[in-house]
Amino acid sequence: MSRPFRSVRSRAALGATLVVAVALVAAGAAVLLSLRANLVSQADSSAQSAARERAVNLGTGRTLAELGLGDGEAHPVQVVDARGRLLAASEDLERISGTGVTAVRPVGPVPPPAAGDDDGGDGHGGDDRGGDGSGDDDDDDAAVAAGEIRDGGAYTTGSATVDGESADYRFASTEVETARYGTLTVYAGAPLDAEQEAVSTATTVMLIGLPALLVVVGGVTWLVTRRALRPVEGIRAEMAAITASEDLGRRVPEPGSDDEVARLARTTNETLAALEASVERQRRFVADASHELRSPIASLRTQLEVGAAHPELLDVPGAVADTVRLQQLAADLLLLARLDAGERAGRDPVELASLVRGELAARAARDAVPVVAKFEQGVKVAGSRGQLTRVLGNLLDNAQRHALEKIEVTVAKDGRAAVVRVADDGEGVPETERERIFERFVRLDDARSRDDGGAGLGLAIARDVAQRHGGTLVVRESARGGALFELRLPAL
């Protein structure tokens, strides 16, 4: 039984759900805050408008009794003098908080005007309103001219009980200078029930809709991910079957789409093809190596058995030759094994002219065909001196087997490349065979004896070493009609 959220589908569905949940919670909180701020702002405007309307009426000379604070008042109102005494309030007001004045019943009777304000009181009473001929129709500009009005600028949140019903309110305050009562502060409140109801409704909708939406998102993500990963499961199942059967000829199914999964399938098939080729190459290598080793071992055994029975008939030179051939073949196989294992070439500087001179001097006694060398001094490469010497020796051995009269070796620099050329005047290499001769255990002179033709590993080793050094080895036709092997390496 698999652990929870161990599969990619489960983790993808959970991740998408969490991301959407965070995004929705953040968006919902922003919406609720914005909605609440907007509705509170509307309540502030409504409360300020109500307070200012009463202040304008008082500023134009109306009495407290004429403010109309009886039944049907939509806003709880308080009128407070400079000494903090409640002079007027809404008739149905039973309790209030948030204005700084908790009294709900006015003091009585209303105090008389201050000394020296009689004329002003008369002037701001009925005479002023009658003399203007406008009465209740005076606008705010006229009111400000008659009595200075100062908005409080601060809003508070509180509660009030009006006619037995309690609710939350936003309160605004406005100060007004009157001739009859002196400085008065008018408090008016606007109910917050609309704001609370809207926020509550929006919150309820979100609390109901959010889980449902998250379930939909998680389910859709699960289904989509499952559909998208179905080819991956097919690839996994086929790879498991290939592993169990050890049949590298099988291939995983490739989806028709051109997405990441299809590219994964193609890459997997390419890897399987390369692995199959590598395994097949190793099988051929083992078979060919066994075949090549069998002949000198059988010959050596025969000679030793004859020598054991008839010492006078022991072919010591032949036994030594077979032993040397076995030694060379074992060395070639060991080098190929190291190259196949990814052994990196050294990075020591190697002067090619010196390398060629040394190899020619070591071979001078046994070479049957004379070798002519032409050197360009100072041509250096980075690599393994031993491996490069092996390449040159293999090329010279190949030339000695095919040359008739002369072998030419040249060392030169061509641009940023160091070039070593080995040319002979033999029969050459047919154009159709110029790549095949670099395969392992391939000989174009099968009609010749194995002793003369070698095991067919020399050129394969030479090309592998050249490639490990970042270079190339190719064969062309020489000027004298034979074979021309050209080794190119990055020059220092």
Side-chain angles (χ1 to χ4, degrees), residues 18-352:
L18 290 177
V19 170
V20 173
V22 171
L24 289 178
V25 169
V31 168
L32 291 177
L33 291 175
S34 177
L35 177 62
R36 185 178 184 280
N38 184 54
L39 293 175
V40 169
S41 177
Q42 294 180 14
D44 290 343
S45 298
S46 177
Q48 183 63 47
S49 176
R52 188 175 180 82
E53 178 183 356
R54 273 62 178 187
V56 168
N57 290 335
L58 292 172
T60 56
R62 290 191 181 184
T63 64
L64 295 173
E66 295 174 330
L67 290 181
L69 303 181
D71 294 339
E73 173 61 42
H75 303 274
V77 177
Q78 290 177 307
V79 180
V80 181
D81 64 7
R83 299 170 59 182
R85 296 177 301 174
L86 182 66
L87 302 185
S90 301
E91 290 186 3
D92 295 332
L93 183 63
E94 300 175 5
R95 182 188 61 82
I96 192 169
S97 64
T99 62
V101 180
T102 58
V104 295
R105 291 291 175 262
V107 298
V110 176
D117 287 342
D118 290 343
D119 294 341
D122 294 340
H124 287 285
D127 293 343
D128 280 346
R129 285 179 279 122
D132 291 341
S134 57
D136 294 341
D137 295 329
D138 287 348
D139 57 15
D140 286 356
D141 293 337
V144 172
E148 182 181 359
I149 296 177
R150 297 186 298 273
D151 293 331
Y155 301 93
T156 58
T157 301
S159 62
T161 301
V162 180
D163 196 17
E165 296 183 1
S166 297
D168 293 330
Y169 288 84
R170 288 285 287 180
F171 293 101
S173 62
T174 300
E175 290 185 357
V176 59
E177 293 289 343
T178 65
R180 185 183 301 276
Y181 307 108
T183 302
L184 299 179
T185 302
V186 180
Y187 294 97
L192 291 175
D193 53 351
E195 175 264 338
Q196 294 172 344
E197 182 178 356
V199 171
S200 177
T201 301
T203 302
T204 301
V205 171
M206 290 181 182
L207 291 177
I208 295 175
L210 179 61
L213 183 58
L214 292 180
V215 170
V216 173
V217 169
V220 171
T221 304
W222 173 277
L223 294 176
V224 171
T225 307
R226 180 181 181 182
R227 180 182 180 88
L229 294 179
R230 188 175 299 160
V232 177
E233 176 60 24
I235 294 173
R236 187 208 62 78
E238 185 62 24
M239 287 297 294
I242 292 173
T243 302
S245 64
E246 298 183 357
D247 181 7
L248 296 178
R250 299 174 63 171
R251 296 294 180 265
V252 301
E254 296 186 13
S257 59
D258 191 23
D259 54 12
E260 292 82 354
V261 177
R263 291 195 290 272
L264 172 63
R266 286 194 292 271
T267 303
T268 302
N269 284 334
E270 291 170 0
T271 302
L272 288 173
L275 183 59
E276 181 184 19
S278 176
V279 171
E280 182 61 28
R281 190 162 53 247
Q282 292 294 329
R283 288 173 180 171
R284 289 200 309 268
F285 180 79
V286 172
D288 292 339
S290 301
H291 181 70
E292 293 294 333
L293 289 170
R294 184 170 54 192
S295 295
I297 290 176
S299 176
L300 182 61
R301 177 179 178 179
T302 300
Q303 295 179 52
L304 293 176
E305 288 177 347
V306 170
H310 307 281
E312 70 279 5
L313 299 179
L314 177 62
D315 183 8
V316 175
V320 172
D322 285 339
T323 303
V324 171
R325 185 181 174 198
L326 278 173
Q327 184 181 18
Q328 291 176 343
L329 183 56
D332 288 344
L333 293 176
L334 179 60
L335 178 56
L336 284 173
R338 292 203 309 265
L339 293 175
D340 288 342
E343 180 181 274
R344 294 186 178 181
R347 301 302 300 170
D348 299 326
V350 178
E351 211 274 325
L352 292 181

Side-chain angles (χ1 to χ4, degrees), residues 428-430 433 436-437 442-447:
V429 180
E433 302 289 345
R436 182 169 171 265
I437 62 172
V442 171
R443 293 184 299 270
L444 301 185
D445 50 359
D446 286 336

